[in-house]
Amino acid sequence: MKLSFMKKTIGVGAAAALLGLCRLAALAEDAKPDALAKAKAAEAKRVALCAKLAPAVGAFFQKATVGKGGGSGVVIDPRGYAVTNFHVAGAEHDLFVGLNDGRLYKARSLGIDPGGDIALVKLEGKPRFDFVTMGVSADVRIGDRCLATGNPFLLATDFQPTVTEGIVSGVHRFKDGGGATDLVYGDCLQINASINPGNSGGPLFDEAGRWIGINGLGGFRGDRPRINVGVGYAASVDQIKNFLEDLRSGQQCEHGTMNATVRDLDDEFDPTRKLVKIDAIDGTSVGWKAGLRLGDVVIEWNGVPVKSQNHFLTLISRLPVGQRVRLAIDRRREDATIGGKHNYDRVTVGMRLRGIPSGPEEGQWVPDPDLIAQEKRATLEAVRNGTLPLLPVATGFEMSGTRKDASGKEVSFRYFQKGPRARIELGGSVSATNGAKAWRKVGDGAAEDLPAAEADILEGTARALDAVLKEGGEADLTELNFTGGDTIDGRRCTRLETRDKSGRRRKLYFDVATGVLAGIATPAGEKKLDDGSTETQWVEERWTLDAASRSPRRIERVDDKTGDFVSLDTASPPSGHAIDDSLFERGGDK
């Protein structure tokens, strides 16, 4: 009886299992068309993306090597700006770029970054070029799919780029070029997409087609040096962004340094902790002068927590010379003990980075003066188009709000400007200039000449802003130079430097994306250094814009070198209206 029951049970189970398998098979058959459709749709999307990107990817040649050897590159702006590797372009001024329309275009080098292996060139021959969309390499993750494009081995005589696909194998790598080169890929992406000789300078894209890097270094077999082993490196687009304005101004760029090194070391008071410590520092360096000392523990770099020595190297190596940085450090206390809870004091230091020379010897790279003049004109046009709608200097504008100084004291302010004329009302005080003479109102209401130092600040800023923003304003200055870029309140900015006919200097910063004024730096006296020399101290105004109106809502003043707080204006949006000239004349406020 039991055996018969078991046979029946097994028979029923087998039938059910068979029925289940049949159903699964039927489901699988039903799913096949859907899966195939999805695969075909993904394939079509990828093919369309490659076709969309191809017109902006070029084969790059030096004048003497056209058709014989070269590299790759990518157009990043419709005006013809393109990026390639420095080891492709070299210090040559005249280049040729083949695009996938089969044509060879003339190009001229604008600026070079030998240490980062980047060069910026400008193509000629068309009013508008196809270009790629700039991505954010900080958003790239290990495992993300990527596309590497270029012209390896000069395979495409019609300049149709080769495309290889892979994944991002690593992010924020610090890769020293080594060998006979001083190239350092300080914040690079590691990929397994195949790159070969000729791919150098070509773009790396994410799967959405956004430009995220420039391919430059590859891993190759020792016995067959033209065979890729599946390891490649691309300079990150985030690092390249930091240098674009310097490159556009014709510079031979340098990467920044504190002249100090760090190491991952054990905490002598807590063996479970690893610390990133300053283990060597030059006693004449900017780091030392800013207050860094041997044994200091680096906690943050520009607000970013520092995780390791390698992380620190990626953070500093992607910044250009002159960039301001602020470090939060822990310094060992004299009364530190093993297991103690308060062994370190938190200290903040700030400095502008010095440069690491690399590339051609001094004098070997000289930018094309005609090309740089064109860039200055284009920059002036962009900043006038961006700023004048918000600050109509010619007809006049007014700003008002409150100012808070370092002690926390607040006073009301009103600022008026019309052309080179300006007036500031701060609390109960009034200072003004009619463009030729500056004055102030004293306690009894009488007017007197404004002291020279204060007059220089008021008049110099008004004159610089007026001259830069009006057509033909260069004639009011002895110098007006496009000197590259900087970062103001986290934004990439173009920098213009001026000197008026009274010798007063200013640095004006404009948002790269919008052309809107982002900051002004003003000399604030001379400081005597330890070696007996003096240097000019600057105060930088950082303009924070309202997201909707793009109008300045906060103007923060900081020490230009250290970033230490000076004062803060909280303002209502500027009001553009006709301002009576009498407001700037002595006694005109009565």
Side-chain angles (χ1 to χ4, degrees), residues 209-273:
R210 293 176 292 243
W211 172 46
I212 57 173
I214 289 292
N215 304 311
L217 289 176
F220 301 95
R221 284 177 50 172
D223 59 332
R224 301 183 70 184
R226 294 171 73 84
I227 304 299
N228 184 282
V229 298
V231 179
Y233 299 95
S236 72
V237 71
D238 288 356
Q239 174 176 311
I240 296 168
K241 289 175 188 176
N242 291 330
F243 290 82
L244 278 179
E245 292 304 292
D246 290 345
L247 290 165
R248 200 166 69 83
S249 68
Q251 295 184 38
Q252 177 175 332
C253 299
E254 296 180 355
H255 287 240
T257 179
M258 302 187 305
N259 295 114
T261 61
V262 301
R263 289 182 62 192
D264 295 327
L265 297 171
D266 292 328
D267 185 345
E268 57 190 308
F269 304 110
D270 183 355
T272 65
R273 292 181 66 205

Side-chain angles (χ1 to χ4, degrees), residues 299-565:
I299 303 299
E300 291 183 354
W301 173 273
N302 281 345
V304 177
V306 176
K307 302 172 185 177
S308 64
Q309 174 189 4
N310 188 77
H311 185 214
F312 176 85
L313 291 173
T314 65
L315 290 171
I316 190 170
S317 63
R318 67 188 182 192
L319 296 180
V321 58
Q323 190 80 38
R324 183 176 55 234
V325 297
R326 287 178 66 80
L327 288 76
I329 61 174
D330 279 352
R331 180 165 295 157
R332 173 184 169 178
R333 294 167 57 101
E334 292 293 333
D335 58 354
T337 59
I338 294 176
K341 294 183 178 180
H342 304 290
N343 288 329
Y344 298 93
D345 289 326
R346 182 62 53 87
V347 180
T348 300
V349 299
M351 72 199 80
R352 293 251 181 205
L353 299 176
R354 283 188 180 168
I356 305 173
S358 63
E361 296 294 327
E362 186 174 355
Q364 290 183 357
W365 167 258
V366 179
D368 183 327
D370 292 336
L371 196 55
I372 301 308
Q374 291 176 23
E375 293 305 308
K376 185 172 81 169
R377 289 193 295 271
T379 299
L380 286 171
E381 180 181 2
V383 303
R384 287 166 182 165
N385 290 338
T387 300
L388 280 175
L390 304 177
L391 300 177
V393 174
T395 56
F397 69 90
E398 173 187 350
M399 294 176 61
S400 61
T402 58
R403 177 172 298 179
K404 181 170 66 174
D405 63 19
S407 69
K409 180 182 176 182
E410 288 192 7
V411 295
S412 62
F413 81 89
R414 294 177 74 192
Y415 177 79
F416 304 84
Q417 183 169 344
K418 183 178 182 181
R421 291 157 290 190
R423 175 183 175 116
I424 177 77
E425 299 174 4
L426 194 59
S429 67
V430 176
S431 301
T433 175
N434 61 8
K437 190 71 174 176
W439 57 274
R440 68 180 178 183
K441 185 171 68 174
V442 294
D444 60 2
E448 66 179 17
D449 290 347
L450 192 63
E454 297 178 40
D456 278 350
I457 292 174
L458 184 64
E459 292 180 326
T461 299
R463 176 69 66 184
L465 198 56
D466 175 58
V468 166
L469 293 180
K470 76 178 180 184
E471 192 70 35
E474 301 95 310
D476 297 334
L477 303 168
T478 58
E479 293 180 23
L480 173 55
N481 297 311
F482 168 36
T483 58
D486 208 332
T487 302
I488 303 293
D489 200 28
R491 291 168 291 163
R492 289 195 306 119
C493 294
T494 296
R495 181 178 59 242
L496 295 172
E497 297 193 36
T498 67
R499 186 188 297 270
D500 66 22
K501 293 178 180 178
S502 296
R504 295 173 297 219
R505 299 166 58 200
R506 293 294 184 272
K507 301 175 186 176
L508 285 77
Y509 302 93
F510 297 86
D511 189 290
V512 167
T514 64
V516 174
L517 182 68
I520 303 172
T522 304
E526 301 291 321
K527 180 181 179 181
K528 190 171 183 178
L529 304 179
D530 294 339
D531 60 6
S533 62
T534 60
E535 69 174 9
T536 302
Q537 303 294 104
W538 293 75
V539 171
E540 175 187 281
E541 292 183 358
R542 304 191 295 200
W543 293 45
T544 301
L545 307 180
D546 177 77
S549 66
R550 297 191 303 165
S551 299
R553 302 304 300 268
R554 286 164 46 94
I555 302 175
E556 183 180 14
R557 294 170 187 83
V558 298
D559 183 288
D560 182 73
K561 179 181 288 187
T562 66
D564 292 339
F565 178 81

Side-chain angles (χ1 to χ4, degrees), residues 68-142:
K68 302 174 185 176
S72 305
V74 61
V75 181
I76 64 170
D77 185 279
R79 294 167 292 181
Y81 296 107
V83 175
T84 185
N85 279 144
F86 169 71
H87 77 259
V88 171
E92 296 292 322
H93 282 291
D94 297 317
L95 303 170
F96 288 91
V97 178
L99 297 179
N100 82 328
D101 59 5
R103 291 180 57 190
L104 201 61
Y105 294 86
K106 288 184 178 181
R108 290 191 286 174
S109 289
L110 265 171
I112 57 175
D113 171 18
D117 197 17
I118 295 296
L120 182 69
V121 308
K122 196 168 186 182
L123 278 64
E124 302 172 348
K126 286 202 303 187
R128 189 182 188 281
F129 288 84
D130 290 291
F131 66 101
V132 297
T133 300
M134 195 177 297
V136 179
S137 52
D139 293 341
V140 176
R141 303 165 300 176
I142 295 174

